[in-house]
Amino acid sequence: MSASTAPSAHHAAREFTPLPAQHEPRHLSPLTALPALTALPTLTTPDDDAHLRDLHTRLVREAEEHGQLDVAYRTVSSAVGDLLLAATPAGVVRVAFAQEDFDVVLTELAARLSPRVLAAPRRLDAAARQLEEYFAGSRRRFDVPIDLTLAAGFRRQVLQTLQTLPTIAYGRTASYAEVARAAGSERAVRAVGSACATNPVPVLVPCHRVVRSDGTFGGYRGGVEAKRLLLGLEGVTA
Amino acid sequence: MRPFEQVVAEHGATVLRVCRAVAGPDHADDAWSETFLAAMRAYPDLPAETNVQAWLVTIARRKSIDTHRARSRTHPTDQVPERPSTHGQPGGWERDLWEAIGDLPAKQQSAVVYHHVAGLPHAEVAALLGGTPAAARRAAADGIARLRRTYLEEVR
C-alpha cells in the first residue's frame, strides 16, 4: 500500500481484503508507515471553510451571551465607499471610511477599548439599515444608540451638541463658531474643528454639517469629496 | 494586541483539527466553541510574548478531553468509554483514525496532536509537555507507532 493511493486503496482493503500483518511497513518514517496518517498535517475536509463560518457564528452568539463581546463590527457599502461600523454593548462606537484602513482602525479599537473584537454583524443591523436608508434619501435622522467613549472632554461635548442642535438638522449647516457657541465655549472654534476632524462616529453624528464661516466646506475625516457628497445628498450646495 | 477576530481567522482551522483528533467528530464543534470562548475570556490578559498558537492548542486539547469526561461521567474510569461503531466516512475523513488518536495515552496523544495535527515543532511541543525536544519527538513517534498497531488492528 503506497502513501499516494492511501485513501481509496485503504478503504478497499478494509472492506474486502484483510491486511496481512507481514505487509505492514516497518522501515518507513512514521507518517508514511501509516498511509492514512499522511493526511494528518492537513486533516481538513472540502467544506471546512463553510464549517468554520458556522462555528464563527456560534462563537459570536455565545460570546454575546457570556457578555464578552466587547467590540462587534461589520462593513456596509455606501455612496461614500465602504464603511466600517463598530459597536460596544452601549452603542455604535466607530464609523470609519475606507481611506482610514479598516485593519488599522480595528487594531486601534483593540488597543483603546478591548481586544475582544469579533466580526459580528447582528449588533450593527439597525445602524447598517438606517445608513442604507439615509443614503437612499429616505431617512433624515438616525435612531441608534451611540457610544462616545472614544471622544473625551470638550470634544465629546461638541459631538453631543451636534447630536441635538436643531439648527444643524438634516439639510442644514452651521459654522464652527456657531457650534462652539452652542457647546458653551464661544472662543473654542479651533477645538470644534479638531472635535469634528476626530469624530469617531461620522455620518451618524453629523460633523459633515459643520462648515467654515465663509460657506466653504472645510476638511473632513472621510475626505472633502465625501463631505460634499453627504451635503449634496441632503440638498446643501456650496 | 491584535483584535481577537484575527486570532480566530488565523488559528480556527488548526484548533478544529485538534478538536477532531482529541474529542472525536461528534464533539469537535463543542470543543472548538469552548476553546475560543475560554481563549476570548482570557485574551486581554495574555502576556505579549505568548505563542498564541501553542496557547490555543493546549486549551483545545483540554476542552476536547473535557467533552470525553462529560460523556463518561456515569462510568468513572481512566479509559475512554466505548463508542458506537462508526464505519464509513462521515464528513469524508478518517473518523476511526481520530477516535484512535483520542484513545492514545495522554503524553503520546499530546505529542501526536501538538506535532502532527497542530504542526508545532518538537521544541514547542517540549515546552508544552515539559522535558526535552528529543523526549517530545520520541513520544510522538511512540504515539504514531501505537496508532499504527491499534488502528490497523481495528481495520483488520
Side-chain angles (χ1 to χ4, degrees):
Chain A
M1 193 186 290
S2 78
S4 59
T5 59
S8 53
H10 176 67
H11 286 106
R14 133 182 232 175
E15 278 170 37
F16 307 112
T17 323
L19 187 68
Q22 62 268 31
H23 285 187
E24 201 178 310
R26 298 207 175 276
H27 304 291
L28 301 173
S29 75
L31 279 184
T32 50
L34 184 56
L37 282 181
T38 53
L40 258 178
T42 50
L43 219 166
T44 48
T45 72
D47 59 350
D48 268 357
D49 284 348
H51 191 73
L52 284 166
R53 275 196 295 279
D54 291 346
L55 285 171
H56 184 283
T57 303
R58 175 175 168 181
L59 173 64
V60 167
R61 190 181 65 238
E62 291 178 354
E64 186 97 71
E65 281 165 11
H66 285 76
Q68 58 187 47
L69 179 53
D70 296 339
V71 180
Y73 73 87
R74 65 168 287 170
T75 55
V76 293
S77 47
S78 81
V80 292
D82 284 351
L83 298 173
L84 176 81
L85 312 180
T88 65
V92 181
V93 75
R94 188 77 164 87
V95 174
F97 297 96
Q99 65 181 45
E100 296 182 74
D101 190 334
F102 295 160
D103 282 344
V104 171
V105 173
L106 289 171
T107 302
E108 273 169 19
L109 292 175
R112 291 193 59 188
L113 298 172
S114 162
R116 299 200 291 205
V117 177
L118 286 180
R122 188 164 301 173
R123 190 183 282 178
L124 289 145
D125 274 355
R129 194 178 58 246
Q130 292 189 16
L131 280 165
E132 233 166 70
E133 294 165 356
Y134 169 78
F135 283 105
S138 61
R139 171 170 289 275
R140 298 166 73 93
R141 56 183 300 276
F142 294 101
D143 183 25
V144 288
I146 303 287
D147 180 352
L148 290 178
T149 302
L150 293 172
F154 183 68
R155 289 181 179 184
R156 184 175 188 147
Q157 217 171 301
V158 170
L159 299 178
Q160 283 164 341
T161 304
L162 291 180
Q163 283 180 289
T164 53
L165 197 64
T167 51
I168 57 162
Y170 188 92
R172 303 176 68 172
T173 58
S175 70
Y176 291 97
E178 284 167 326
V179 174
R181 201 173 310 131
S185 225
E186 199 167 341
R187 298 171 63 188
V189 180
R190 289 175 74 93
V192 168
S194 58
C196 289
T198 58
N199 177 8
V201 277
V203 186
L204 296 183
V205 174
C207 63
H208 59 278
R209 296 182 196 140
V210 187
V211 297
R212 293 203 181 117
S213 306
D214 65 7
T216 60
F217 285 166
Y220 191 55
R221 194 166 198 171
V224 180
E225 267 316 301
K227 188 169 188 172
R228 194 190 313 279
L229 196 145
L230 293 174
L231 288 173
L233 175 76
E234 298 184 12
V236 179
T237 47
Chain B
M1 190 161 238
R2 301 161 69 211
F4 195 72
E5 176 69 26
Q6 289 178 17
V7 174
V8 181
E10 189 173 332
H11 302 292
T14 300
V15 167
L16 183 57
R17 288 200 299 273
V18 170
C19 292
R20 281 174 174 168
V22 182
D26 297 337
H27 302 274
D29 288 2
D30 289 342
W32 190 97
S33 297
E34 291 289 322
T35 298
F36 277 106
L37 261 188
M40 191 172 176
R41 198 175 307 128
Y43 186 61
D45 301 318
L46 196 67
E49 67 278 11
T50 307
N51 176 334
V52 173
Q53 188 188 350
W55 175 65
L56 285 172
V57 163
T58 46
I59 300 174
R61 181 170 174 274
R62 199 172 63 235
K63 293 295 180 186
S64 297
I65 290 169
D66 286 350
T67 66
H68 281 294
R69 290 222 180 94
R71 278 172 282 152
S72 57
R73 207 160 275 151
T74 49
H75 306 281
T77 165
D78 288 336
Q79 295 297 311
V80 176
E82 277 188 331
R83 271 152 289 174
S85 167
T86 51
H87 291 293
Q89 275 196 292
W93 43 276
E94 292 282 353
R95 185 181 178 105
D96 294 358
L97 175 59
W98 310 127
E99 300 214 338
I101 292 174
D103 292 341
L104 287 175
K107 184 158 186 178
Q108 291 178 12
Q109 186 201 74
S110 314
V112 167
V113 168
Y114 293 160
H115 179 69
H116 291 296
V117 179
L120 296 177
H122 289 300
E124 289 285 348
V125 178
L128 294 175
L129 298 182
T132 64
R137 180 188 298 273
R138 200 174 318 117
D142 290 349
I144 293 290
R146 190 184 172 107
L147 274 180
R148 201 173 65 189
R149 283 196 309 275
T150 58
Y151 179 57
L152 288 186
E153 258 163 33
E154 223 174 85
V155 170
R156 232 173 276 139

